[in-house]
Amino acid sequence: MELPPSIEKWTIEDVHHWLMQVVKVHETYANRFQEEEVSGDSFLLFKKEDILDLGINHGPAVKIKCYLESLKEGSQHQSQFPEYVRTWSKEQVNQWLLQHVRLYSKYAERLQGEDVSGDCLVCFKKQDFLDLGLKSGPAVRILAELCKLDKKLEPKLQPIVHTSTEQMESPVHKAITQPDSYYTTESQTDKMVEKEPEKSQLPFQNLSEMEGIQQPKQRDLGARRKTAIVSTVPSDIPKITVEIEKILANLLKDDLKLFHFYLQEYTKSKKNAIPRGKLEGKDSMDTAVLMTSHYGNEEALQVTKDILLDINQRELVCQLEKKMDPVEQQRVSKGLLKKEANQGDKLKNLLTCGGNSLDYAYFIVVVNKSSLGQVKYFQFLNKLKLFCVLDFDPHSVDPGGLCHSYRESRVANLHSPTQYKGPTDSVIKSLNLHKQTSWVFCNGRFDLDGDSNKQLDYKNWLRKSCKDVEELVSFICNPEVISRGESLIIFLLLSPVDTEKDPIFDIYKSFIKHMDEESIINVCESQIIYEKWRELVQEKCDSDIDHRSIYELTLSEVNGTVMALGPFSQSSERLLPSYGCSFVVLKQKDEDLLTALDILCLNQCENTIDENSAEFHDHRIRVEEEFYKGGKVNWWNFYFCYKDKEKPFIKRDKYENVKKIIKSQLRDSKNMCSLLNLFHHPGCGGTTLAMHVMWDLRQDVRCAVLKDNTLPKKEVANQVSKLMKLESEKPFSVLLLVDDSKESENPHELVSCIEYALNMNVGDTPSYKVIIINCVRSHNPKEQYRQDNTRQSQYITASLTQEEQEEFEKKLRELKETHEKPENFYSFMIMKSNFDKKYIKDLANNMLKKFDCSSKEARLFAYLVLLNTYLAGSEISLSLCRDFLGMKMVEWKQDSVLSRMEPYSNFLIIDTVEDLGSYKGIRILHHSIASACLEELERSYSLKVSDITMEILQCDLFFSVGGVKHRFTRSIHQMLIERQRKKDGDEREQFSSLIGKIHEDHGRQTVQDIFVKASSRFVASASIPQALARYLCIMQSDFPEALQWAEKAKNIKQNPFTFDTIGQIHKSNLKSNNLREKQETSRNPEDLKTNIQIAENAIAAFKRAQELANEEDEAEREAADDVSEDYPRKSYNVCGYVGVLDIAFLVFEILSRLPFFEESDPMKKKYLQSFLKKTISITSVHKEDTELNNRYVEIIKEHQQFLQSLKTQVKEIFEFLSFYITNIKKSESDFRATVSVHFKKYVNIFGTNPEERKKQQQYNPQLNLEMAIEEQRLFLEENLADTFAGILQHLDKHADKIEKITESYGFLQQQQFFTQKQKTKETINYILSNIVLYLLKPKSKHVKSHSYLIPLLLKTLQDVGLGYPFPDPYYLALLLLWPSPGQENTEIGTYVRAIRKYKRMILSFRVRNTIAILYFGKGEGLKRLVPKRQLDENFKDMRRDNLFQLWRNGDIFKNKAIIKRLQRVSGTTEQGELFANHGKVKIPVRPALIGGIRSGSSTEKVSFYLGFAINGPLAYDIQYEN
């Protein structure tokens, strides 16, 4: 390969080639130039220092520079020294220097360590020697001796004999004197180990840069080096040397070589590394002596541990630490330095801000590499509430590592920095932050494969990982993740940080960019580590960290100091009840996993603080004061009363009732999960009552509070099932409190999820239960209690009984004994006054006497008053309050929010809020105080609700991005759109209470202004413009502008509710026009055109709403204001269908007023019928030839296709809704009523009365048969009997009607026989009507026998095959062909599978369960079919809601009358599926109730009762034979 003549034109490859072929350097060195992309033009500029910076040793660097200089001069390199010198190895150079130049061994080893071989030596100049630390004298002597060398006669070089110390010493640097016996002991290793090819010329200083040396795997410590012979150790060798030698003796030969490699490259000490030459051929004793003599005893031990960790010999590190006695360890770790006397107190003050408890909300720990012996001293990490750990030790997750140790007793999720990218809320949720510790590996993980998990040297870390870790730090320091001042960062330095080129130092600098340095403390393993760290921080950050650092305590002392601190939140051994009056221990790790639950233990609060101490007394005073002022109750409140029997906790009137219901459910309920609703006014003690009951039942049942209502119900259910099974062979019952629930339907979903989870995770154990106490805030709890169907509910109101008032009087006397001014405990005093409105009004009046509307404090108070009036218990975060008040962080400790808010602070309290983490929020003490203050502000200061609302919406601070701000803005959003239940029933108000108040006071313009401003703030919310659209439509009848806002909502989010709103506005517009036109005497054809266009738009919107509803897995809950958080839609959404019906019948009504379609004229009505049925066109309608009529005709012709499609659409909707109502559980009663009203209109429009039919037959006798057939079909349609579902509905009606229906179908069936034109649908309906008639009136003359119906069905099944678009024929097959006991029918399973494929059924039944309309009874033929209605007749005297409960939990099948009537069917469970067995035939059946069959996919024999639902057979009361 020829190189270009000009060096400037050399490529990177040319430089590499020249180095290899001309300079003849090692390939590794040449590769370094290639890696650094050194081409000719840059190579020319290189100095020796630049070459050294590439990690190339001094010898090769001088040679390269020498050759480069010659090249630049245009000549080849020529040496003035003998040629044989160039062939010398670096060992031979070393021999020549020692034996012929008589150079100090220190200097000779220095040259050998820098790879100075002969070809390098001949390039050296005096300055090159000086750069290696040689003095001028030795440097000049070397050059002189080189010049004296004979060109022909090469000097003799003798191999150097290695002893434990060097024989040629510098006068200044004398070796530590060793005994003669040791000097005469020759290293046996040198004699036994042959020389190997030179592998030591690897220039890199870090393991991650070594390409030729592979990281060793952990080896059996029993395997010793076979080639090593250790000499006898004299008794006076220091103990540390002996212990190091013993540890090194465990290394294999290759591992000892690797140890030597790391030793010669060791840079963490202030002393230079031991040169490679001194380590050549050394055995374990030689190495130990050399290390202790070079570093000193104490530092040699640390060096040994560091290198053993680097070569993955953790177990040897552990052995070494165990062998050192505690005194020696302390002496080594502290370097014999004098301790600072108050370091323990200093650590305590740093962690507690001068208190006794770890009161920071979170701790963030940053840690570097740990050793195995250190890990045992980190139990204190279990005590800290760790938000995250930033770990720079890639081995931390391995056995013996810090992360591994922590996870043995606590839960930590293992993350990488890149996982912290994305929207704040989504990152918090996905990583489970705030709930479980996040352990972040910041420089690789050795337990995972892949490039992204490799440990990087500093250079590569800076390029590839530094940015991600800095972004992680930025995320952590975001005040929306953790409020400012609520966290403490601990830098835990367990190994030295000797240079600024260390990732952990970069992260320190990153933290101080985002945080006040006072929020960072440093805990160092030794003073040596600390001094270097302090030096770095001082030099690079210009900061003194001494007052924030701990460095003189041993790790054991650090651990003990932290463990001795509070908080006093839990006992060391938390206990749960178990079977046989036994107890089990709740492990901390198990509790970590149950993130959704706050678990109440048997020994809650016990043994956490000395109860005879002043500290306990102060704690009690503080907790009671907070509660009685208006804070949330906690378990300490009950504990104090539990311990002090003379001062019991006040029991509300319904306490015993609630407790009795729970005990009854635990004892008698057959359900796996039961629900108890507790309806209560805000602020009247509903939650306190529930927790009081839980406290008193904590020995009988495992108790827990659901911490976060927004969690997925399945996740909560799984955690409840885990709590049930914790540490017990058999599951134990659980009592779960769901607090602050805002609607009574939501827990039913949770009930279902828990039943499913128990069935899957726990199994079939009838003795365990889950009872849910569902606390529901309500403005009318008594009415909600009255409407609750389950009877498993209670209510409490803002009213005390006489006995309760006496209890409050007694409690006030008790409080006066222990508290100052208990009359200022306003929440308690409000209840004591029996919620006296005058007392509350006077409180508000006195507080607001000097209210200054212009001050920030007063404005913030007004915001809180508004918020807590319309959303009781809501809060604004403390950090947001500080920002609003303009408080600086440095003022926080001296100037709290409450002190700034005086005098209003008497009405304020701080709560801890669990939402996207834990933060502190401020709120009004009591809902009634907030309401009274709002009234007072309006009365005395003309500060209206609308003014406060608008001021909040105009404050930019509240709407900047952030988690805690998001919660406040969510509350604002909720105030604007949440609609409350009306006091007199189940319906809701038209608008939120806040909007209702503003409308009442100010009217449209103010309401609209507020909504417009809100829409600019909540740009992603469809609910705000949707609410405004509804307001303009309902309250103002401004349909055009309402439509504009509805369209805006739709453009933000397309869902069933935004389209439904558009449809409803069109409908209201159409209704308004229709009403106006009814009252007008004149007629305008353009009105008809407008109305038809409105109708078309409305139907298009309703259809799209229905399409979207059909596409959803379940009804959406948050999309619209009319689906408020209080009452979300749970059922299949059919609003679109109903909307189309509403519009269609409005159009029919409008058409019926046209001159030629007038309803009052029978003939004109007939024209309308014919037109809508498409039998005639509008031009065929008889009418007067007037301008008005002609214009009407023109308009109708334009829209004829739309108008004539309405009848068909309406008919199809009726068929589907009839099907839905018949076959779905709990179809809504108001929905049924709406459909019924519309159907009556339908019959009125399209039906004909008997007199008209007779007249038609008289005028046209030839059409008698056709008229008779049409007459029968009209009759069936009018009675909703022309559909399969409609006929089934007659099971709940009188027999006379179904008898006429059957007669009518009989007539149609006879005509089919005569004409040979079979109509399958009519045949199917005929068979079903016979079955229904038999069940209601078996002796009717129109009933056909079982034997007659079966051939007719079989023929029909043969005709339709398995592809019929409806399930009707296959359902009949189940009823008529289901085998009796002992019989077989090989086709029945085929029909079951055919039913399950029906698409519309999948759509309709995905949310609601189907019901069995008929049951399989005893008897033959049609006698074996039993309608549900006949079963219900056995319970005539039972209340309807109680009967419903019997069906819901399956207890109805325990009744003797039911058992006597129904036939049990034998079957099996296989692979989690249920089958009915008839001979060899297995028919698939579905369990009717969740959890009907056991989990585990066990094959078992079972029996059950059989019900026939439209989507297949259902199994009830499944019993296992074993």
Side-chain angles (χ1 to χ4, degrees), residues 1359-1375:
D1359 291 340
V1360 301
L1362 298 177
Y1364 195 69
F1366 300 97
D1368 309 349
Y1370 313 120
Y1371 183 72
L1372 289 176
L1374 298 186
L1375 301 182

Side-chain angles (χ1 to χ4, degrees), residues 557-589:
E557 290 166 338
V558 169
N559 186 56
T561 303
V562 179
M563 294 299 289
L565 296 173
F568 311 108
S569 59
Q570 59 185 40
S571 311
S572 56
E573 294 289 342
R574 287 165 56 73
L575 303 177
L576 293 174
S578 191
Y579 276 93
C581 299
S582 62
F583 313 121
V584 296
V585 175
L586 172 60
K587 296 176 182 176
Q588 182 65 63
K589 189 170 184 178

Side-chain angles (χ1 to χ4, degrees), residues 661 665 671 673-677 738 744-745 747-748 751 770-774 790 792-793:
I661 290 172
Q665 288 178 331
N671 293 339
C673 184
S674 300
L675 178 68
L676 190 161
N677 286 317
V738 179
S744 58
E745 282 188 43
H748 287 295
V751 169
V770 175
I771 311 296
I772 300 175
I773 307 179
N774 178 39
T790 64
Q792 304 297 317
S793 61

